[in-house]
């Protein structure tokens, strides 16, 4: 099937390449390594042409998930579907060479004994494409990453960013059903990352390839992905659009992980003035915060906020009282570490402008500008 | 948009979990190969030793081993192996410390000279040393140091065997200790210096203790090599009437032929047990204690100061004594007509070389047979070890581990033990074919494949550890199957390591004597044992010429291999610094 697929479907008109995409579904996947569970009942549906990031701390199972989709590992239970066809289950498993997936590896994995063009054209050679046709398609793929002038170079003579581009072109030239990217920016330095981020984003817009992007860097995931699956300890915590993850985290893990979120204990939830808001007691001060429309009235809950949402109040009645523990100069602002008077064993911090001088030992009043009642609070 | 569903193999054609693909097939062939050339012969040997008539009969095994002759030979074997190992460890460690850390000059040349004896066949080394001390030694004679005729040759003794084995195996210890020392980062030495340690204190309290694993590994290799070194033990031990286990096995076959096989099996089992116990012991001793360090960086340099010149002088004196003295004697002997003649313009002749190369049919045939067997073994082992290294490195399974262990076992056991195992296993006619390969060159080939598989494997395992597995994964997702990946990705990247392994196997197989000494027959003779036969038959000058020719071949091979040195994994060529 791969051969037929590879020979067809590359519609090239002057460097513009359309990819034959698939939708991917992972259904209830469990994977153990030596009795340790690395993926626990994971389900995920990736649509045609979608750019999905899998985000999580190291050891959360994201790389295992990529290797399962590519076919390098076999799961203990569950199924993987490409366009509703089962391609992997515990009983039968299509090997990687038959899956027609493309991978951009973290270390690029360019073959050192082949030049750039040979690297890019290798999949076509395997598929039996004639050498003229192969050359044309390899150069097309290289053109999409502005590397067509480097076709004769050896990978060793390229910079990190150039190797990354070649890896991308190699993946593209194979015309895969899905592109898997395994922390592709992790080995690049900071400025190069920013420009490659833009490149990935342009690349996806041009090709509309189904892309699954593994990363531990949330700013990368936020910048690039249509949707992000946040993983922790082998489970998918939340699968949603970036702004949703930030504004409406489903559980405490996501709330803390995304944007250095803080989780505050709140009490006595009451209906708010508008739909989707509730009125809660935060350390003795009542505030209006966002919540699910069907949020039940509860005696206590957890509130997800971000450091910028906590502000110094102008007067004591506008916020909850707190003691300043210490302050740290941060250049653009001052970070104020404080303990709420109602919960002195909790240490929090907020960003204060320079024109509001505070010092250790002061009593301040803190207001919560925005917050979200976490639905699945433990 | 292409309809992928239409071209995907879906439910209609189920893919079975284990398929008989090329990969499974290759693994199956590897298993059968290693079982045939290693596991089955060695198993047969053990079985014959403890159950000569098919039933377990330890009493008869014991009756063989309890003979006073055997007991003496076993003690002698242990004695020369242990004492020569001690000598090799001292010499090898000093050389390693000096070349890794000392600021001596011309290190690369010296290292080449120090490791060179390892590449020369042991029987040639023994012959060269015998000539160096012979009553009419061309070199010592110049200084008036040659022995007077009638005096017993000093090397025909236990001490002589120990001395030669120690010198011969010192490079083995040197290589492992050097590798261990090179791992040590300079800052460990700098910290010791900052604490006030002098040069010797630094070496004895920091560097050598941290290199302990390497020292014990080197000692183990030296011991195994010494106890199984037929060339030196036979050339010196037989004239000295100093029996060791391997000379006993050799003489047993010569006196009784294959009818003495069950006794030989019992002796071989004893020799194998000693070898395995020694390896286990050294592994245990070397593995204790935490010697983990953060690797990388340059090794610490020790400034020898005013001792530099004396140390350098000593180092070069050692090389001239251990390399130039015997080799020049050998060369001189090869140029005179009769043994004992003084080399001069009037006695100088190339007759021996002409005889060795053209006139002496058995020598010519032995060269041809050795070359044929060696090239065949190299070609077969290159392919087999590449695939086996792939499985060992990237597709580990209990089965693969078993194959690797069998290969290692066939390598570490003394070659003569392997020879006995091969005779036992291949003496009877082959099934289906109906003839026996005993007495033909094919039994020698089987022994070579068995003995040298682990040797061919080593550079490849090093090569695999240097390439990232994602390179293969990338080829898989590009659609390449097992055979395509081997051909397009793995072979080109590992070609230098394959060549290095091939050259090492080539030299070892050409030099070896201990594997084929029991397997040669009048119709199938290799060049290694030829020297012993010639020397035993009194043709010393012809033996010397053959020895010189072998050294020339070895040097040529080393030169060719060095051309690839830059593209090889570090340490693949032992003589390169």
């Amino acid at each position: 099937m791969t051969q037929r697929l590879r020979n067809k479907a590359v519609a090239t008109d002057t460097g513009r390449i359309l990819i034959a995409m698939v939708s991917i579904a992972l259904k209830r996947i469990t994977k153990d390594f030596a009795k340790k569970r690395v993926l626990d009942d994971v389900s995920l549906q990736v649509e045609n042409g979608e750019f999905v990031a899998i985000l999580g701390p190291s050891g959360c199972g994201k790389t295992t998930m990529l290797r399962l989709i590519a076919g390098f590992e076999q799961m203990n239970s569950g199924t993987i579907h490409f366009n509703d066809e089962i391609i992997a289950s515990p009983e039968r498993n299509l090997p990687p060479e038959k899956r027609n997936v493309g991978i951009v590896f973290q270390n690029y994995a360019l073959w050192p004994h082949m030049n750039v063009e040979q690297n890019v054209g290798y999949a076509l050679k395997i598929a039996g494409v004639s050498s003229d046709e192969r050359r044309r398609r390899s150069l097309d793929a290289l053109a999409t990453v502005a590397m067509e002038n480097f076709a004769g170079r050896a990978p060793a003579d390229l910079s990190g960013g150039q190797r990354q581009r070649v890896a991308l072109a190699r993946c593209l030239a194979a015309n895969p059903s899905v592109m898997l990217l395994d922390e592709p920016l992790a080995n690049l330095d900071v400025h190069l990352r920013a420009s490659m981020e833009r490149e990935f984003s342009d690349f996806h817009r041009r090709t509309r390839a189904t892309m699954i992007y593994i990363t531990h860097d949330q700013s990368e995931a936020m910048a690039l992905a249509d949707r992000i699956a946040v993983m922790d300890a082998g489970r998918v915590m939340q699968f949603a659009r970036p702004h949703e993850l930030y504004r409406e985290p489903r559980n405490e893990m996501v709330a803390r992980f995304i944007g250095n979120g803080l989780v505050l204990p709140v009490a006595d939830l009451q209906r708010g003035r508008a739909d989707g808001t509730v009125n809660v007691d935060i350390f003795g001060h009542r505030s209006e915060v966002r919540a699910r429309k069907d949020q039940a009235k509860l005696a206590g809950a957890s509130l997800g906020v971000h450091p910028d949402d906590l502000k110094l109040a102008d007067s004591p009645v506008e916020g909850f009282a707190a003691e300043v523990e210490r302050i740290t100069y941060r250049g653009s602002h001052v970070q104020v570490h404080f303990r709420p008077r109602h919960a002195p064993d909790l240490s929090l911090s907020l960003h204060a402008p320079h024109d509001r001088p505070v010092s250790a030992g002061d009593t301040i009043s803190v207001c919560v500008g925005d917050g979200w009642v976490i639905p699945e609070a433990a | 948009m292409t309809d992928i569903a239409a071209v995907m193999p879906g439910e209609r054609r189920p893919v079975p979990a284990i398929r008989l693909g090329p990969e499974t097939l290759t693994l199956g062939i590897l298993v059968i190969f290693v079982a045939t050339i290693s596991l089955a012969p060695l198993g047969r040997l053990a079985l014959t030793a403890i159950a000569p008539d098919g039933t377990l009969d330890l009493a008869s095994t014991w009756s063989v081993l309890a003979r006073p002759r055997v007991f003496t030979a076993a003690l002698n074997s242990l004695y020369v192996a242990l004492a020569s190992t001690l000598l090799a460890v001292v010499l090898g460690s000093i050389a390693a410390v000096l070349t890794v850390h000392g600021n001596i000059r011309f290190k690369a040349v010296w290292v080449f000279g120090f490791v060179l004896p390892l590449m020369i066949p042991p029987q040639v080394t023994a012959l060269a040393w015998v000539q160096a001390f012979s009553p009419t030694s061309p070199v010592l004679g110049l200084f008036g140091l040659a022995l007077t005729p009638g005096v017993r040759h000093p090397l025909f003794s236990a001490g002589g065997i120990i001395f030669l084995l120690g010198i011969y195996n010192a490079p083995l210890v040197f290589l492992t200790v050097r590798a261990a020392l090179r791992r040590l980062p300079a800052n460990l030495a700098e910290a010791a210096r900052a604490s006030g340690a002098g040069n010797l204190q630094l070496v004895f309290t920091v560097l050598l203790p941290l290199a302990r694993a390497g020292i014990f590994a080197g000692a183990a290799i030296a011991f195994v090599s010494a106890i199984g070194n037929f060339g030196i033990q036979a050339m010196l031990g037989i004239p000295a009437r100093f029996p060791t286990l391997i000379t006993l096995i050799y003489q047993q076959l010569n006196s009784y032929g294959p009818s003495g096989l069950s006794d030989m099996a019992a002796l071989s089992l004893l020799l194998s047990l000693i070898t395995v116990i020694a390896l286990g012991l050294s592994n245990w001793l070397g593995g204790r204690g935490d010697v983990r360090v953060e690797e990388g960086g340059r090794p610490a340099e020790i400034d020898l100061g005013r001792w530099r010149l004396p140390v350098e002088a000593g180092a070069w004196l050692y090389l001239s004594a251990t390399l130039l003295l015997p080799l020049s004697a050998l060369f001189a002997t090869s140029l005179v007509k009769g043994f004992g003649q003084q080399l001069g313009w009037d006695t100088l002749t190339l007759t021996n070389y002409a005889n060795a190369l053209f006139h002496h049919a058995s020598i010519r045939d032995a060269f041809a047979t050795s070359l044929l067997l060696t090239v065949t073994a190299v070609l077969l082992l290159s392919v087999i070890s590449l695939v086996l290294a792939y499985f060992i490195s990237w597709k580990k399974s209990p089965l693969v581990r078993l194959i690797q262990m069998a290969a290692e076992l066939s390598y570490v056991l003394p070659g003569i033990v392997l020879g006995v195992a091969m005779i036992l296993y291949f003496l009877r006619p082959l099934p289906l074919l109906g003839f026996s390969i005993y007495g033909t060159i094919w039994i020698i080939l089987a022994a070579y494949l068995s003995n040298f598989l682990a040797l061919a494997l080593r550079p490849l395992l090093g090569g695999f550890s240097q390439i990232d597995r994602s390179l293969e994964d990338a080829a898989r997702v590009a659609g390449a199957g097992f055979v395509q990946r081997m051909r397009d990705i793995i072979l080109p990247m590992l070609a230098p390591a394959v060549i290095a392994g091939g050259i090492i196997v080539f030299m070892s197989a050409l030099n070896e004597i201990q594997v084929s000494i029991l397997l040669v027959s009048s119709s199938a003779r290799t060049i290694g044992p030829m020297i012993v036969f010639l020397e035993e038959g009194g043709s010393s000058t012809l033996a010397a010429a053959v020895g010189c020719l072998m050294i020339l071949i070895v040097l040529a091979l080393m030169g060719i291999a060095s051309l690839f040195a830059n593209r090889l994994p570090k340490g693949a060529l032992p003589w390169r610094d």
Side-chain angles (χ1 to χ4, degrees):
Chain A
M1 66 98 193
T2 46
Q3 304 225 334
R4 277 179 61 187
L5 187 67
R6 285 205 167 92
N7 289 336
K8 269 162 78 172
V10 178
T12 48
D13 51 306
T14 58
R16 193 181 144 78
I17 297 186
L18 287 174
I19 293 231
M21 303 170 283
V22 295
S23 67
I24 294 169
L26 278 66
K27 293 189 180 161
R28 310 209 57 173
I29 289 187
T30 307
K31 169 75 185 165
D32 297 342
F33 277 125
K35 292 188 184 154
K36 191 182 178 300
R37 184 142 292 191
V38 282
L39 287 180
D40 188 4
D41 196 16
V42 168
S43 295
L44 204 68
Q45 169 79 36
V46 178
E47 303 301 337
N48 265 0
E50 196 176 17
F51 193 139
V52 167
I54 314 251
L55 173 66
S58 62
C60 71
K62 54 190 193 299
T63 298
T64 306
M65 195 143 120
L66 177 128
R67 292 181 65 81
L68 275 170
I69 297 172
F72 295 125
E73 308 284 351
Q74 294 203 34
M75 57 270 222
N76 296 72
S77 67
T79 49
I80 299 177
H81 306 244
F82 282 10
N83 281 354
D84 304 327
E85 295 281 339
I86 296 183
I87 58 144
S89 69
E91 295 79 39
R92 55 184 128 97
N93 205 4
L94 202 59
E97 53 266 39
K98 306 268 186 219
R99 287 196 188 188
N100 196 25
V101 296
I103 303 187
V104 176
F105 292 87
Q106 181 174 351
N107 61 1
Y108 324 128
L110 297 178
W111 300 299
H113 60 293
M114 299 185 192
N115 68 21
V116 165
E117 189 188 327
Q118 287 165 334
N119 262 283
V120 172
Y122 183 68
L124 298 172
K125 187 176 163 193
I126 292 293
V129 174
S130 71
S131 69
D132 288 348
E133 172 75 359
R134 200 158 75 216
R135 181 173 173 78
R136 196 175 61 75
R137 287 206 220 166
S138 303
L139 290 178
D140 277 350
L142 283 169
T144 59
V145 292
M147 288 290 292
E148 66 273 36
N149 295 329
F150 294 81
R153 297 274 190 98
D157 301 334
L158 303 178
S159 71
Q162 289 170 331
R163 286 180 207 181
Q164 187 59 266
R165 290 199 184 102
V166 174
L168 202 57
R170 179 174 71 180
C171 185
L172 178 66
N175 187 32
S177 311
V178 54
M179 289 176 72
L180 306 172
L181 301 104
D182 185 10
E183 306 236 9
L185 302 184
N187 286 359
L188 296 179
D189 64 37
V190 182
H191 345 291
L192 211 50
R193 258 187 226 193
S195 80
M196 284 307 292
E197 235 173 55
R198 199 167 56 236
E199 203 139 322
F200 278 129
S201 173
D202 288 350
F203 181 80
H204 181 244
R205 213 185 47 242
R206 280 200 308 273
T207 59
R208 302 311 309 176
T210 307
M211 290 169 100
I212 297 180
Y213 188 105
I214 304 283
T215 181
H216 66 272
D217 181 331
Q218 49 179 293
S219 72
E220 233 171 78
M222 292 276 184
L224 290 167
D226 297 324
R227 283 195 293 166
I228 299 173
V230 179
M231 290 193 63
D232 189 42
R235 290 171 156 272
V236 174
M237 295 283 115
Q238 189 169 2
F239 184 34
R241 301 191 169 278
H243 68 268
E244 223 172 304
L245 287 179
Y246 188 85
R247 284 176 55 84
E248 299 174 2
R250 187 195 286 162
N251 56 35
E252 287 198 15
M253 184 267 155
V254 178
R256 284 183 210 278
F257 185 65
I258 301 291
N260 296 317
L262 301 169
V263 175
L264 310 179
V266 293
D268 189 23
L269 274 67
Q270 296 296 337
R271 183 186 295 278
R273 276 191 295 266
D275 242 13
T277 66
V278 288
N279 189 282
V280 295
D281 177 288
I282 309 172
F283 303 128
H285 182 264
R286 291 207 75 91
S287 300
E288 194 93 341
V289 292
R290 290 176 296 107
R292 274 191 179 174
K293 287 204 176 84
D294 55 355
Q295 180 64 51
K297 292 180 189 175
L298 293 171
S302 294
L303 186 72
V305 297
H306 293 98
D308 286 343
D309 297 331
L310 297 177
K311 294 197 171 66
L312 283 179
D314 293 326
S315 72
V317 293
E318 286 173 35
F320 60 86
E323 302 275 348
V324 175
E325 201 177 2
R326 63 196 160 86
I327 58 167
T328 313
Y329 180 70
R330 295 286 184 202
S332 63
H333 60 270
V334 175
Q335 190 174 7
V336 181
H337 304 267
F338 63 91
R339 292 175 184 276
R341 189 161 289 169
H342 276 74
D345 41 355
L346 197 63
S347 180
L348 302 170
S349 75
L350 60 75
H351 298 166
H354 293 293
D355 58 359
R356 295 284 297 272
V358 286
S359 48
D362 287 359
T363 299
I364 52 170
S365 175
V366 180
C367 64
V368 178
D370 184 35
W372 163 256
V373 177
I374 297 167
E376 288 177 12
Chain B
M1 210 58 36
T2 319
D3 184 7
I4 305 264
V7 289
M8 286 290 227
E11 318 267 7
R12 282 146 287 159
R13 266 208 300 178
V15 186
I18 298 167
R19 298 171 316 146
L20 196 69
E23 196 173 325
T24 323
L25 206 66
T26 309
L27 186 60
I29 293 170
L30 278 180
V31 171
I32 294 170
F33 172 76
V34 172
T36 313
I37 60 151
S38 289
L39 284 176
L42 291 175
R44 183 66 202 268
L45 172 80
L47 209 64
T48 310
I50 58 169
D53 303 313
T55 49
L56 188 66
D57 187 3
L58 289 175
S60 96
T61 313
W62 181 245
S63 74
V64 175
L65 299 183
R67 283 179 209 151
R69 239 158 64 89
V70 174
F71 186 71
T72 312
L75 271 190
N76 285 347
S77 277
L78 267 181
Y79 169 56
V80 292
L82 283 174
S84 69
T85 299
L86 193 66
L87 181 61
V89 166
V90 171
L91 292 173
S93 300
I94 292 174
V97 170
L98 284 179
T99 53
V100 173
H101 297 294
N103 59 339
I104 57 173
R105 286 162 285 192
F106 306 109
K107 269 184 205 175
V109 187
W110 193 82
V111 165
F112 179 83
F114 188 78
V115 178
L116 187 63
L118 202 56
M119 309 293 149
I120 297 173
Q123 65 279 16
V124 176
T125 306
L127 184 66
W129 276 98
V130 169
Q131 319 256 324
F133 278 100
S134 76
T136 48
S137 165
V139 179
L140 289 186
L142 281 182
F143 304 103
L145 288 171
L147 298 168
T148 45
V151 173
R152 188 181 146 98
H153 198 296
L155 288 179
F156 290 157
S157 64
I161 297 175
I162 291 167
F163 173 69
L164 277 206
L165 286 176
I167 290 179
Y168 193 77
N169 292 326
L172 289 173
V173 180
F174 166 78
L175 291 173
T176 58
V177 176
R178 181 176 69 164
L181 288 175
R182 280 186 169 167
R183 294 167 49 239
L184 305 179
N187 58 22
L188 290 175
E190 284 155 7
R193 286 225 188 280
S195 312
N199 282 347
L200 284 181
Q201 281 168 316
L202 174 64
V203 170
F204 285 105
T205 59
V206 177
L207 299 178
L208 287 181
L210 283 174
R212 197 182 57 192
I215 296 173
F216 279 103
I221 301 173
F223 180 89
V224 169
S225 163
I227 204 164
N229 190 318
F230 181 81
I232 290 174
Q233 289 187 34
M235 295 278 280
L236 303 183
I238 293 175
R241 301 190 187 286
F242 180 79
T244 57
L245 279 176
I246 54 175
T247 53
L248 202 60
I249 293 173
Y250 170 63
Q251 288 169 328
Q252 193 93 9
L253 185 76
N254 279 358
S255 325
Y256 303 108
S259 62
L261 273 174
S262 66
D263 288 9
M264 289 164 66
L267 294 177
S268 300
L269 192 68
L270 178 63
L271 194 54
S272 309
L273 282 180
I274 294 174
T275 308
V276 170
I277 289 170
L279 283 176
L281 196 67
S282 105
N283 218 355
W284 178 68
L285 287 172
R288 289 182 319 160
D290 190 351
V291 290
R292 284 173 297 178
V293 293
E294 300 212 351
E295 298 186 26
R298 295 178 60 81
E301 190 170 276
I302 294 175
D303 185 1
L304 295 170
R306 65 198 163 87
W307 287 100
R308 184 175 177 182
L309 206 62
V311 167
E312 284 174 338
W316 286 100
L317 197 67
Y318 174 86
L319 271 202
S320 11
T322 57
L323 201 59
L324 289 185
L325 173 67
L327 291 189
S328 60
L330 184 73
F331 188 53
T333 305
S334 75
L335 292 176
V336 296
K337 208 171 214 134
F339 184 59
Q341 273 183 345
Q342 290 283 345
L343 180 63
W345 286 116
D346 47 333
T347 54
L348 182 75
T349 171
L350 289 175
T351 323
N352 294 314
Y353 287 93
N355 280 339
L357 287 173
F358 309 112
H359 304 311
H360 222 292
S362 67
I363 297 177
R364 209 179 48 212
D365 290 350
F367 263 118
T369 306
S370 268
L371 222 53
L372 172 73
L373 286 175
T374 304
V375 169
T376 315
V378 165
L379 292 179
L380 287 173
L381 286 179
S382 295
V383 177
I384 291 163
S385 59
L386 176 71
V387 183
L388 183 54
Y390 170 83
F391 282 103
I392 291 171
S393 304
W394 288 347
K395 296 279 160 81
K396 268 219 149 62
S397 70
L399 193 63
V400 172
R401 222 160 290 152
L402 180 75
I403 300 179
Q404 188 185 8
M405 270 176 52
E408 287 292 336
L409 192 65
S410 306
Y411 176 66
V412 298
L413 289 184
I416 207 150
V417 170
L418 202 62
V420 175
M422 287 292 163
I423 297 178
L424 282 168
Y425 186 67
F426 286 112
L427 192 58
R428 282 186 293 182
L430 295 175
L432 301 177
L433 298 174
F435 58 87
S436 167
I437 61 169
Y438 178 62
T440 69
I441 59 169
W442 305 115
I443 193 170
I444 305 176
L445 180 66
Y448 282 1
L449 293 177
S450 178
N451 195 207
F452 299 128
L453 177 57
L455 208 54
L457 210 50
R458 219 149 283 177
L460 280 164
L461 291 176
F464 269 103
S465 72
Q466 284 180 349
I467 58 177
D468 197 289
R469 191 157 172 202
S470 62
L471 292 168
E472 197 215 3
D473 288 348
R476 286 196 86 175
V477 299
F482 178 71
V483 177
Q484 285 165 321
R485 294 198 299 275
M486 276 287 160
R487 186 194 61 201
D488 296 344
I489 308 295
I490 290 168
L491 179 62
M493 283 197 296
L494 288 171
V498 173
I499 292 170
I503 287 168
I504 303 278
V505 170
F506 194 104
M507 292 207 285
S508 308
L510 199 66
N511 286 350
E512 70 75 36
I513 176 169
Q514 63 274 20
V515 179
S516 57
I517 187 76
L518 297 185
L519 304 176
V520 291
S521 64
S522 52
S523 61
R525 201 171 270 182
T526 53
I527 195 67
M530 198 69 209
I531 291 179
V532 176
F533 299 150
L534 287 172
E535 176 76 5
E536 276 178 349
S539 317
S540 286
T541 52
L542 196 55
V546 174
C548 286
L549 287 173
M550 289 179 77
I551 292 172
L552 269 183
I553 296 176
V554 166
L555 286 175
L557 281 172
M558 289 170 79
I560 294 170
S562 298
L563 296 179
F564 294 96
N566 297 336
R567 300 178 49 199
L568 291 177
K570 208 171 162 56
L573 300 180
W575 61 87
R576 297 277 300 194
D577 190 20

